[in-house]
Amino acid sequence: EESILSALSTASLNTIRQEMPDALLGQIQLWLAPEDEDLNKTQISSFQKLGLGALLPFVQDPAFENLPQVYTLIKPLLQDSVKVLRPYLLDLLLTLAGRSSQEVAYLLRSLLEKGPTAHTIWLARRTIDALPPESQARLQLLISPRKEE
C-alpha cells in the first residue's frame, strides 16, 4: 500500500500539479480532512497519507510560493493525528524547514504553547535540528519537561 500511495501521490499527479495546481490543492484539502461518514479510520488515514504525499512535491518546488496554504492544510494534523501519519508530516516539516525555518519554528512553538500533545512533541523533537539555533533553544524549553509517546 505504501509504495502505491507514494507513486500515486507523486509521479501520477505531477502533470496535474504543474497544469492545475489550485485544483490539486483543493483535492489535497479534501484528502486531508475527509468528511465522508462512511469511511473507517484506515480509509481516512490512507486518504491523509495520499494528501500529505501529494503536498511534498509542492513544498520541494522552489517556484511554489504558497507555503501559508500548506501550513493551513497540515496544522490540524500537526496538532493531533494517528501515528501512521508521523513520517509523512515529518518529511513535510523537514522540507519546509529547508525553505522557511522561521515559519516552521513559529508553527511548532505556537502549537506547543497552545497545548502540547505527545504527537506535537514527537514532531518537534525530530524537526528541531533543522531549525536555527535560537529557535532550537526556545523549542527545547517547551518540549524538555514533557514526555512523548
Side-chain angles (χ1 to χ4, degrees):
E1 177 188 338
E2 296 300 319
S3 60
I4 293 171
L5 281 173
S6 177
L8 183 60
S9 64
T10 54
S12 65
L13 295 176
N14 217 17
T15 302
I16 296 171
R17 183 177 58 83
Q18 292 170 353
E19 295 178 8
M20 301 182 338
D22 292 335
L24 182 54
L25 286 168
Q27 184 60 53
I28 289 170
Q29 182 175 2
L30 295 174
W31 287 332
L32 294 180
E35 296 180 8
D36 188 340
E37 295 175 9
D38 294 330
L39 296 175
N40 63 39
K41 290 180 182 183
T42 302
Q43 292 168 320
I44 290 170
S45 66
S46 291
F47 277 119
Q48 290 172 326
K49 287 180 196 177
L50 180 61
L52 293 169
L55 263 182
L56 191 58
F58 279 104
V59 175
Q60 291 170 331
D61 181 357
F64 179 72
E65 297 178 351
N66 196 357
L67 296 181
Q69 184 176 11
V70 173
Y71 292 119
T72 300
L73 290 172
I74 66 170
K75 187 175 180 179
L77 296 175
L78 294 174
Q79 291 172 310
D80 189 37
S81 66
V82 293
K83 288 182 181 181
V84 72
L85 297 181
R86 286 180 178 177
Y88 296 86
L89 290 165
L90 184 59
D91 282 348
L92 275 169
L93 284 173
L94 292 173
T95 305
L96 284 165
R99 292 197 54 194
S100 61
S101 61
Q102 294 296 336
E103 286 85 354
V104 171
Y106 174 79
L107 176 63
L108 290 172
R109 191 172 60 250
S110 67
L111 291 172
L112 290 167
E113 288 171 347
K114 180 180 176 183
T117 64
H119 178 67
T120 307
I121 292 168
W122 187 93
L123 289 167
R125 284 193 174 148
R126 281 147 185 86
T127 307
I128 201 166
D129 289 338
L131 303 175
E134 64 277 2
S135 297
Q136 290 180 18
R138 291 183 72 187
L139 281 175
Q140 194 63 49
L141 290 173
L142 293 169
I143 62 177
S144 290
R146 295 175 169 54
K147 303 276 188 237
E148 68 175 280
E149 281 188 51

